[in-house]
């Protein structure tokens, strides 16, 4: 766990983010081979963004009692005096989600052997 220093987050498109132990070029080769070969390597190299671990964010389910109490009956809140945003889950309104940095998210996962999708806007 907590292998954030060895991992990167890549956004090969506008709706998916992948955590990867690979560098950008190797990630693109993996992506083309395993998921989507509709773009050339050169196109993907130009279009794939390496995310900033501290300034780019994702929604993550939280079971933290304080987060759940803070959200209360609201659908969404921006706690500008605390640590960020909270909202009801988009797929399940019983789930509470917290906006966290990719660095925070990577502290919650084990180091993967190959890339995988850590966040998506596709529901």
């Amino acid at each position: 766990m907590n292998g954030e220093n060895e991992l990167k987050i890549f956004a090969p498109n506008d709706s998916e983010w992948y955590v990867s132990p690979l560098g950008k070029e190797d990630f693109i080769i993996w992506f083309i081979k395993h998921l989507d070969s509709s773009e050339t390597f050169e196109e993907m190299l130009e279009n794939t963004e390496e995310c900033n671990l501290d300034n780019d964010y994702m929604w993550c389910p939280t079971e933290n009692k304080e987060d759940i109490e803070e959200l209360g009956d609201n659908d969404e809140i921006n706690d500008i005096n605390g640590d960020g945003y909270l909202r009801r889950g988009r797929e399940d309104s019983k789930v509470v989600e917290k906006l966290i940095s990719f660095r925070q998210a990577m502290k919650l996962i084990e180091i993967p052997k190959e890339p995988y999708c850590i966040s998506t806007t596709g529901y």
Side-chain angles (χ1 to χ4, degrees):
M1 297 263 292
N2 196 1
E4 79 214 54
N5 292 330
E6 300 172 26
L7 300 175
K8 296 174 177 39
I9 301 285
F10 295 109
N13 54 52
D14 292 337
S15 63
E16 297 174 318
W17 294 263
Y18 287 80
V19 61
S20 176
L22 306 173
K24 185 175 181 178
E25 291 182 357
D26 289 333
F27 167 76
I28 292 169
I29 292 167
W30 176 90
F31 189 87
I32 290 170
K33 180 179 178 183
H34 294 283
L35 298 176
D36 185 353
S37 61
S38 63
E39 289 186 53
T40 67
F41 177 84
E42 291 75 21
E43 290 170 325
M44 282 205 67
L45 190 58
E46 184 178 323
N47 296 331
T48 299
E49 175 188 344
E50 182 174 346
C51 299
N52 182 299
L53 300 182
D54 296 308
N55 295 324
D56 291 324
Y57 298 85
M58 64 177 275
W59 289 103
C60 184
T62 179
E63 294 182 7
N64 181 296
K65 184 179 175 184
E66 292 171 2
D67 291 337
I68 294 167
E69 288 175 1
E70 185 174 351
L71 183 61
D73 292 331
N74 298 302
D75 288 332
E76 188 170 331
I77 61 168
N78 172 12
D79 179 14
I80 56 176
N81 296 320
D83 317 278
Y85 294 91
L86 295 168
R87 73 177 187 187
R88 300 252 168 247
R90 296 297 187 239
E91 294 180 24
D92 181 354
S93 64
K94 295 176 185 168
V95 173
V96 174
E97 297 176 331
K98 185 174 191 169
L99 192 64
I100 63 173
S101 72
F102 280 125
R103 185 173 309 281
Q104 290 171 301
M106 287 197 294
K107 290 179 181 179
L108 303 174
I109 65 171
E110 292 188 33
I111 298 173
K113 293 183 179 171
E114 64 178 35
Y116 71 89
C117 187
I118 191 171
S119 183
T120 181
T121 58
Y123 294 102

